[in-house]
Amino acid sequence: MTLLRAHLRLSAGRKALPRTCASLASLSVRHYSSAAPAMSDTTERKPLFDKILIANRGEIACRVMHTAKRMGIKTVAVYSEADVDSMHVKLADEAYLIGTAPAAESYLRADTIIDVVRRSGAQAIHPGYGFLSENAKFAETLASQGIAFIGPPGAAMRAMGSKSESKRIMQNAGVPVVPGYHGENQDAAFLKQQAEQIGYPVLIKAVLGGGGKGMRIVEKPADFEMMLDSSRREALKSFGDDNVLVEKYLTKPRHVEVQVFADKHGNAVHLFERDCSVQRRHQKIIEEAPAPDLLPEVRRLLGEKAVAAAKAVKYEGAGTVEFIMDDETQQFYFMEMNTRLQVEHPVTEMITNTDLVQWQLEVAAGNRLPKLQNDIVCTGHAFEARIYAENPENGFLPDTGRLVHLATPQPSSDVRVETGVQTGDVISVYYDPMIAKLVVRGEDRQAALRVLRKALAEYEIVGLHTNIGFLRRLAESPDFIAAKVETGFINKHLDELFPPVAQPSAESIVQAALAHVIDSSTKAALSTHGGLASPWAAIDSFRLNAFGSQTTTLAYGDHQYTAKVRVVGNGMYSVCVTSASGDKIAEFHNVQPLWEPLPGGVGSTSAGGHLRALLNDRLCASNVVFNDKDSSITVFDQGRVAVFKVPVPQYFDDAGAASPGSVTAPMSCKIVQVMVEPGTEVEQNAPLVVLEAMKMEHVIKAPKAGKIASVYYKVGDLVEEGKNLVAFENE
């Protein structure tokens, strides 16, 4: 008998707890309610902390600070040398430098952080997520020194933070776990033997931590040792522990998790479930709450088992119990428990009208939970889309660089942008590549999707690759709209999610050309006259050309276009667009462009402007952004995005070209393993170099068979994107 059937039989006649998601129209929902929470009984409420230290960086540090400040709590930031100008440093009441850029030399230095607590007079530490958030020894050290840890006790972390130990606990509680080896024998030959007994494909997972770090799918025995070594290296760098477990890899699962919360008084609740099935590289990119299309009894069972797990280890604070679920039968298996606040916690806040950071502060201060189970109501539906610096068209490889331009959707009661960066900031190789979390809500799933699609269309980033376009296509996918989600969704919809690149519209070409001419003329006027009386004067400078026209060449992928801008009157122009072969594509007459420079103006990190122009019968209103790093012009035209390149002279282009037969770095990275040397004979797809970027490892494989002529870097070297890694002998 399956667990689900057994539960259905045992629960017959039992009164259901409230689980229905109400309409938003029937309940007014606020973010970060400022009212003091109503405690679950009449016990006297204990005072909150006066000052806390946030042992983290980026958006989660900013997220915690926003709630702390609203509650009148002073905040202390810590930062590495790479983060000296970061948003979380500016938001904090105090900030302390704790080391150099690598996390091991700064954000993972527990002794240094504890010293800052003493120096600053902070009473508690909020660990955020990642770094020290699931380090039981750190939590226990704080407790021994009288410093509050805003999270679970070390014992609960040890029990549930270890994937192998937590699985044993859940087995004892009667919850099924995925078949696999969860023991202590870490001998490579033994683990490979266990994998063969389980049956390929298998999943190697770090015993500690989460977020996809140290996780590898192994399809065949020949790959096991290499994947095991890679998993262990990544786990050791991320969590300080290289122990792994091996499990059967399920081919069509859903990833469903339950938010739990417990206090020091024996109360424990769940705040409904989230679906995090759509992933790449074993990492979540979009989450939603509640999970769509679950049977009511499955929802109840998920919540009950998650709460039981929290009570079994005397849990305190925020935690997430993760399950892997068969998409067809909805039979679920315990996967792991994350003993911290999750990245995706805002979707739970959106549907429950709660501030989970406030709950954490209340519980850590010794107060009871603000609400008990019957008080928690699910309202509407919410999505979180993670905005990453990465290139989906290149295997979702992370990207680094400066945010030349950043514009977000307008925040509202239904739209939140959780971020720790702003225009001009740098996404570096040292930390996670997440730029922001876009969180939206609607009265039901379809309404929330509409809000999400609109908000994604309003998100603008220039300076590095992002996944915004990919997320837009995902949110428009018919199967995603129909909630047909599972962890293999991306691979099964590749053609839909990665369509052929469409050519730009004539309107986009014209807007890029007009902006380029305006910018060029403005710079020329500034260099000639030292300034302008008005930004509009740039347009009149076209007349400096004896022929009354300027021609701009723009590249879009493999295609080139020419736009000839000609003066026809006072502030009025005609624009003719032709292809590389000279064929006319479109012509626009009597164009009167209005140009307003973006904040910062010429010479700032954001170079561009807002362009309004009537092109035939369509009024175009676009942000146009210039990026000198790659000579690009990006046109954000009311939800449509086109990126053009201004061709550079051939001698400049040749200077940056890769050598024939070379293999280049796909991103800025650190070399962690070199597997060849000059003279090595390799087969096609043989591993050459292992790179590390944004805490993830990437294997660079041989594009062809041949002999290695040169290896340009050694282990530990930092390499910029596009640099040659190895070269083959010329044939």
Side-chain angles (χ1 to χ4, degrees):
M1 181 184 300
T2 68
L3 178 64
L4 177 57
R5 288 176 182 169
H7 177 77
L8 291 175
R9 179 174 296 179
L10 291 171
S11 62
R14 184 190 303 171
K15 184 177 180 181
L17 294 175
R19 301 239 15 152
T20 303
C21 285
S23 167
L24 278 180
S26 65
L27 180 64
S28 176
V29 180
R30 298 191 312 250
H31 298 145
Y32 305 157
S33 171
S34 60
M39 292 295 131
S40 51
D41 67 8
T42 57
T43 303
E44 183 179 354
R45 187 162 173 259
K46 296 181 180 180
L48 300 181
F49 308 108
D50 294 315
K51 182 188 289 188
I52 64 172
L53 181 147
I54 296 92
N56 217 297
R57 63 178 302 280
E59 62 87 16
I60 184 57
C62 295
R63 164 71 186 89
V64 174
M65 289 177 189
H66 287 310
T67 291
K69 286 178 178 292
R70 179 177 56 75
M71 300 177 72
I73 299 173
K74 293 181 179 179
T75 58
V76 179
V78 292
Y79 65 95
S80 71
E81 291 176 351
D83 281 339
V84 62
D85 294 318
S86 293
M87 185 184 293
H88 80 279
V89 175
K90 298 172 183 177
L91 280 177
D93 295 295
E94 302 174 38
Y96 293 79
L97 176 66
I98 55 172
T100 56
E105 299 171 15
S106 50
Y107 295 105
L108 290 173
R109 288 289 305 275
D111 55 342
T112 303
I113 291 172
I114 292 174
D115 179 62
V116 173
V117 172
R118 297 295 187 199
R119 292 163 56 197
S120 66
Q123 300 155 299
I125 286 182
H126 194 300
Y129 45 71
F131 297 136
L132 296 170
S133 63
E134 294 181 283
N135 188 312
K137 182 179 179 181
F138 180 62
E140 290 166 347
T141 300
L142 293 178
S144 68
Q145 297 187 26
I147 303 168
F149 180 73
I150 305 174
M157 257 194 272
R158 291 186 192 282
M160 299 305 279
S162 165
K163 292 181 175 66
S164 55
E165 177 65 16
S166 63
K167 281 178 167 59
R168 284 193 286 270
I169 292 173
M170 294 306 288
Q171 282 177 316
N172 292 336
V175 178
V177 299
V178 179
Y181 177 72
H182 311 126
E184 297 179 359
N185 191 335
Q186 294 292 301
D187 178 72
F190 176 81
L191 292 175
K192 185 174 183 180
Q193 182 183 27
Q194 294 298 308
E196 291 171 351
Q197 293 178 5
I198 295 166
Y200 288 91
V202 297
L203 190 65
I204 300 175
K205 299 169 67 175
V207 167
L208 298 181
K213 306 294 192 303
M215 187 180 295
R216 298 291 185 273
I217 298 173
V218 188
E219 301 283 354
K220 56 185 185 294
D223 295 338
F224 188 86
E225 287 89 349
M226 184 182 74
M227 291 296 190
L228 176 63
D229 289 344
S230 179
S231 172
R232 282 175 164 167
R233 282 195 304 272
E234 195 168 275
L236 188 61
K237 291 168 186 170
S238 298
F239 317 117
D241 188 302
D242 64 355
N243 287 336
V244 300
L245 53 83
V246 183
E247 292 181 337
K248 179 67 178 175
Y249 179 67
L250 303 181
T251 57
K252 194 182 177 182
R254 284 177 66 178
H255 183 137
V256 179
E257 62 187 33
V258 179
Q259 177 72 60
V260 295
F261 234 101
D263 61 25
K264 303 176 187 294
H265 305 277
N267 300 307
V269 299
H270 66 82
L271 291 93
F272 307 102
E273 76 288 332
R274 302 183 286 254
D275 191 293
C276 312
S277 297
V278 180
Q279 305 178 9
R280 90 283 181 264
R281 299 202 316 264
H282 313 300
Q283 290 184 309
K284 306 162 188 174
I285 51 173
I286 193 164
E287 302 95 349
E288 60 182 299
D293 297 340
L294 292 187
L295 295 171
E297 291 298 327
V298 173
R299 291 187 194 276
R300 189 200 322 273
L301 186 57
L302 283 166
E304 289 177 354
K305 291 299 180 181
V307 170
K311 289 184 174 181
V313 292
K314 296 181 173 59
Y315 198 79
E316 296 171 14
T320 299
V321 183
E322 302 194 358
F323 297 93
I324 194 164
M325 175 182 289
D326 187 288
D327 188 38
E328 295 180 357
T329 66
Q330 296 197 2
Q331 175 67 54
F332 60 85
Y333 303 91
F334 174 80
M335 189 162 55
E336 63 183 353
M337 182 174 186
N338 288 309
T339 54
R340 54 175 166 78
L341 195 65
Q342 289 278 85
V343 176
E344 58 271 21
H345 75 273
V347 291
T348 296
E349 293 179 324
M350 287 292 233
I351 66 167
T352 57
N353 188 28
T354 54
D355 180 342
L356 297 186
V357 173
Q358 178 175 334
W359 279 40
Q360 286 186 298
L361 294 169
E362 295 284 357
V363 168
N367 292 317
R368 295 179 180 269
L369 292 176
K371 294 181 180 181
L372 295 181
Q373 195 66 64
N374 285 340
D375 303 318
I376 303 171
V377 179
C378 174
T379 306
H381 203 96
F383 284 94
E384 175 183 282
R386 302 190 189 188
I387 310 299
Y388 277 105
E390 64 183 16
N391 188 350
E393 283 70 27
N394 190 21
F396 294 95
L397 286 178
D399 200 4
T400 59
R402 188 174 299 278
L403 293 164
V404 174
H405 170 75
L406 173 62
T408 68
Q410 183 66 35
S412 69
S413 60
D414 291 331
V415 177
R416 281 168 59 176
V417 179
E418 305 264 327
T419 189
V421 296
Q422 56 194 350
T423 296
D425 285 352
V426 174
I427 305 299
S428 78
V429 68
Y430 296 104
Y431 310 116
D432 188 89
M434 188 168 66
I435 297 172
K437 302 180 306 193
L438 175 61
V439 190
V440 303
R441 178 188 53 198
E443 64 181 8
D444 55 30
R445 191 173 189 272
Q446 294 305 314
L449 272 174
R450 286 195 299 272
V451 179
L452 176 63
R453 288 191 290 265
K454 181 177 184 296
L456 284 169
E458 295 170 353
Y459 222 117
E460 301 177 4
I461 294 177
V462 174
L464 34 67
H465 293 95
T466 76
N467 65 339
I468 293 174
F470 172 82
L471 289 169
R472 291 183 63 181
R473 296 190 294 273
L474 176 63
E476 294 166 357
S477 166
D479 278 352
F480 187 80
I481 292 172
K484 297 178 180 179
V485 293
E486 44 104 356
T487 58
F489 187 93
I490 292 177
N491 287 336
K492 292 178 182 178
H493 295 78
L494 290 176
D495 291 342
E496 177 186 0
L497 297 175
F498 297 95
V501 178
Q503 292 309 302
S505 66
E507 289 87 352
S508 293
I509 299 171
V510 169
Q511 291 175 88
L514 285 170
H516 179 61
V517 171
I518 293 171
D519 181 62
S520 300
S521 301
T522 301
K523 290 177 179 177
L526 282 172
S527 63
T528 302
H529 304 293
L532 295 172
S534 163
W536 316 124
I539 300 176
D540 293 330
S541 68
F542 295 169
R543 296 171 185 160
L544 297 174
N545 187 307
F547 300 99
S549 68
Q550 280 190 240
T551 299
T552 299
T553 300
L554 299 170
Y556 189 91
D558 296 331
H559 298 265
Q560 279 201 349
Y561 303 93
T562 299
K564 185 175 183 179
V565 181
R566 186 168 58 89
V567 178
V568 296
N570 185 23
M572 190 174 295
Y573 309 91
S574 70
V575 186
C576 181
V577 179
T578 58
S579 66
S581 61
D583 296 331
K584 182 187 291 187
I585 296 175
E587 189 166 7
F588 300 88
H589 301 283
N590 301 323
V591 179
Q592 293 181 286
L594 296 177
W595 176 259
E596 181 181 356
L598 290 173
V602 176
S604 75
T605 57
S606 178
H610 182 72
L611 179 69
R612 288 175 61 88
L614 181 64
L615 301 179
N616 291 340
D617 60 350
R618 178 173 176 248
L619 179 61
C620 298
S622 306
N623 283 337
V624 185
V625 182
F626 311 112
N627 184 6
D628 292 338
K629 177 183 176 182
D630 60 359
S631 300
S632 67
I633 301 175
T634 303
V635 179
F636 296 99
D637 182 9
Q638 297 170 327
R640 287 165 285 202
V641 184
V643 182
F644 301 93
K645 296 291 183 69
V646 179
V648 296
Q650 187 63 44
Y651 56 86
F652 284 126
D653 202 37
D654 289 343
S659 303
S662 64
V663 177
T664 61
M667 75 208 87
S668 298
C669 58
K670 181 180 179 181
I671 305 296
V672 298
Q673 189 175 8
V674 178
M675 308 174 80
V676 293
E677 59 185 17
T680 302
E681 296 276 359
V682 297
E683 297 296 326
Q684 185 175 7
N685 293 323
L688 303 175
V689 181
V690 180
L691 315 176
E692 179 188 342
M694 277 84 169
K695 302 189 290 185
M696 298 289 287
E697 287 193 356
H698 310 272
V699 180
I700 303 301
K701 298 182 179 180
K704 62 179 182 179
K707 180 181 288 188
I708 302 298
S710 302
V711 178
Y712 297 106
Y713 295 95
K714 64 183 184 299
V715 173
D717 286 347
L718 296 178
V719 184
E720 294 181 3
E721 177 183 355
K723 294 294 185 180
N724 295 338
L725 298 174
V726 303
F728 285 81
E729 289 188 357
N730 294 328
E731 297 179 357

